[in-house]
Amino acid sequence: MRLEPTLASRIDSDPLLMSDFAAICDCGGRLAGSDGERRAVELVARLGEKASGIAPRREPVRYQGWSVLHAALRLADGTACDCYPLLFSAPAPAGGVSAEVVDLGRGAPEDFDRHKAELPGRIALVRHELMFAAGTIHRSRKYRMAVEAGAAGFLIAGPLAGAVVAGSSGRAEPDGIPALGIAPETAARLASVQGKRATARIELDTAEAPAVAENLVFDLPGKTDEWVVLSAHIDGHEVSESAMDNASGVAAVLAAMRTLAPEICHFRRGLRVIFFNVEEWALTGSAHYVAGLSAAERERISLVVNLDSVAGSPHLTALTSGFAALGPFLQGVAEDNGSSLAIHLPLMQNSDHANFACAGIPAFRLVAGFDDGQADLRHVLTPADTRDKVKADELRQATRLAVAIAEAAANVTQAEALSWRNRV
Ligand SMILES: [Zn+2]
């Protein structure tokens, strides 16, 4: 289905796409619980209301808040190195963890196996991997393997010279060990010399307390009580302005809402726009939202279009969560609108679409630069996730595709929408 020329030109001439994007970046990294995150929620509520003409429903998300009181990494000679505590990491005992470092290279399961005997009581050192790739081993899995092996601490080295790396530890309470993101140069200084392991001290003091954030929901009804959900997460990491991940997705969703708002009353299905929060903490905001849906409400959601990191490369991929019929539908829409779209079928639990997919709701993530080690997306979670990586034409292209998909999905027959629900 080809996007109507009036809608396409609305997107092409929308001056707010890039100014919204810049305004979201201006809020800073937007770590859940920070002032920047709260400012961003108010900003998106305001921009969304302007785009749609309606006020958002604010849904509270209760989560265990976590903050850092003190963090340091010291080498054996006392030198302090830059570090960034992984979200929700456990604190170190008073005085810190001083131990030898076991370099596990990448930190794949076989690396942990090979070094099993050395790990108890020592610090595990692994490498961060390109997140948007088929064979990625997620940092939280490496953290879990280190905890299970009896390690006393966890270090993960980033991909970017001179820069630390951020991310969530994925820790499940109450166990866990202190975990820090470090620069590749620091990892090099922690290498064994002539078979003798380096030692390091991790100092990490944290505070935890129950906290509340908000998801923002805008319901634009169609002619039936069925919905297409269009979503993006607002929160990020303090290490940068979280521009690609995910100011890009939020700005594109705002522009899509602005473009489609006057049309939706003529569509078969309505458009439910959700700005999720606390995504970076194990997809908490969307988990909370999906858990609150009744079986009937889940059935009324035909498709979830989740935009997460949609600029930083001109190449877009849909991660279709095992829903085999989605690929041909999405590629058909892309082709009709002169863009190309790659499909990656296996479920990837790397953004909010995963919680819907796990509940049986057809859901995919639109992402740029998938499986491309050279794309700017490799800078996500580092200090280089900045606005200069997001080109206006890439963000506009992603917006156009999201609008075309949302419009097509809102108008397919019920039989076609039902066919999406079959999993491989
Ligand atoms: Zn993201």
Side-chain angles (χ1 to χ4, degrees):
M1 213 170 117
R2 196 171 167 73
L3 200 57
E4 268 189 57
T6 48
L7 297 189
S9 71
R10 238 181 252 169
I11 300 165
D12 291 344
S13 61
D14 184 351
L16 299 179
L17 175 66
M18 291 312 285
S19 63
D20 285 0
F21 167 72
I24 298 157
C25 290
D26 285 344
C27 294
R30 311 183 300 281
L31 182 70
S34 69
D35 287 347
E37 173 260 313
R38 277 187 281 268
R39 272 202 310 280
V41 168
E42 293 316 313
L43 172 73
V44 173
R46 218 164 47 241
L47 295 174
E49 187 166 347
K50 246 167 94 183
S52 64
I54 57 169
R57 200 162 69 238
R58 292 166 176 262
E59 300 199 338
V61 178
R62 285 170 220 293
Y63 67 106
Q64 183 70 351
W66 173 96
S67 58
V68 175
L69 303 174
H70 167 75
L73 175 67
R74 289 182 210 284
L75 306 183
D77 64 2
T79 316
C81 297
D82 268 0
C83 64
Y84 189 86
L86 296 193
L87 270 187
F88 215 61
S89 162
V97 170
S98 289
E100 290 180 350
V101 176
V102 180
D103 189 344
L104 297 156
R106 179 187 178 195
E110 53 272 25
D111 299 322
F112 276 91
D113 260 3
R114 207 168 39 247
H115 294 279
K116 201 162 59 189
E118 302 159 59
L119 280 167
R122 296 200 172 96
I123 294 170
L125 168 61
V126 303
R127 303 297 178 292
H128 173 88
E129 297 181 34
L130 178 66
M131 293 190 306
F132 311 117
T136 296
I137 302 174
H138 196 273
R139 127 187 36 80
S140 61
R141 200 171 148 210
K142 297 178 181 183
Y143 179 77
R144 170 104 329 251
M145 288 190 284
V147 171
E148 283 167 0
F154 181 83
L155 298 173
I156 184 164
L160 183 65
V164 298
V165 68
S168 167
S169 65
R171 172 169 71 100
E173 289 178 287
D175 59 349
I177 53 179
L180 302 175
I182 60 173
E185 293 81 358
T186 306
R189 293 178 72 178
L190 291 170
S192 303
V193 178
Q194 290 169 346
K196 193 172 166 357
R197 292 187 203 93
T199 62
R201 186 160 90 238
I202 296 176
E203 299 169 13
L204 182 57
D205 193 9
T206 62
E208 289 183 32
V212 185
E214 283 177 335
N215 293 333
L216 302 175
V217 185
F218 295 83
D219 274 349
L220 303 165
K223 291 197 280 199
T224 67
D225 61 0
E226 295 166 28
W227 296 97
V228 170
V229 168
L230 184 60
S231 67
H233 72 86
I234 296 175
D235 65 308
H237 288 281
E238 293 297 295
V239 76
S240 71
E241 56 189 13
S242 304
M244 289 179 283
D245 182 11
N246 185 29
S248 69
V250 174
V253 169
L254 284 166
M257 179 157 63
R258 196 155 45 235
T259 306
L260 287 171
E263 318 296 326
I264 295 163
C265 58
H266 307 299
F267 293 174
R268 177 190 181 104
R269 298 178 183 81
L271 187 69
R272 174 171 293 165
V273 172
I274 312 180
F275 295 101
F276 285 116
N277 207 331
V278 209
E279 189 268 357
E280 302 288 0
W281 308 48
L283 315 180
T284 300
S286 55
H288 185 275
Y289 177 81
V290 173
L293 295 174
S294 67
E297 285 169 320
R298 289 176 191 196
E299 264 165 40
R300 287 202 292 270
I301 298 176
S302 300
L303 180 65
V304 176
V305 182
N306 179 43
L307 271 57
D308 192 350
S309 311
V310 294
S313 157
H315 303 294
L316 292 168
T317 299
L319 311 181
T320 51
S321 321
F323 293 98
L326 279 185
F329 165 73
L330 298 172
Q331 282 186 318
V333 175
E335 209 169 288
D336 288 348
N337 288 282
S339 33
S340 69
L341 177 67
I343 302 295
H344 182 73
L345 182 59
L347 173 65
M348 296 203 76
Q349 310 225 24
N350 56 14
S351 187
D352 294 313
H353 64 290
N355 284 319
F356 290 88
C358 290
I361 301 167
F364 73 96
R365 170 183 181 172
L366 188 66
V367 64
F370 187 75
D371 242 348
D372 178 359
Q374 293 313 305
D376 278 335
L377 278 297
R378 71 186 189 282
H379 298 310
V380 161
L381 294 179
T382 77
D385 183 2
T386 46
R387 64 189 81 188
D388 53 299
K389 310 294 185 309
V390 172
K391 297 183 181 66
D393 56 343
E394 287 174 7
L395 191 52
R396 222 170 276 284
Q397 171 192 248
T399 305
R400 257 197 312 264
L401 185 58
V403 167
I405 289 168
E407 188 199 16
N411 289 299
V412 298
T413 62
Q414 193 166 32
E416 176 158 13
L418 284 174
S419 76
W420 296 339
R421 300 186 101 80
N422 298 323
R423 306 288 289 267
V424 288

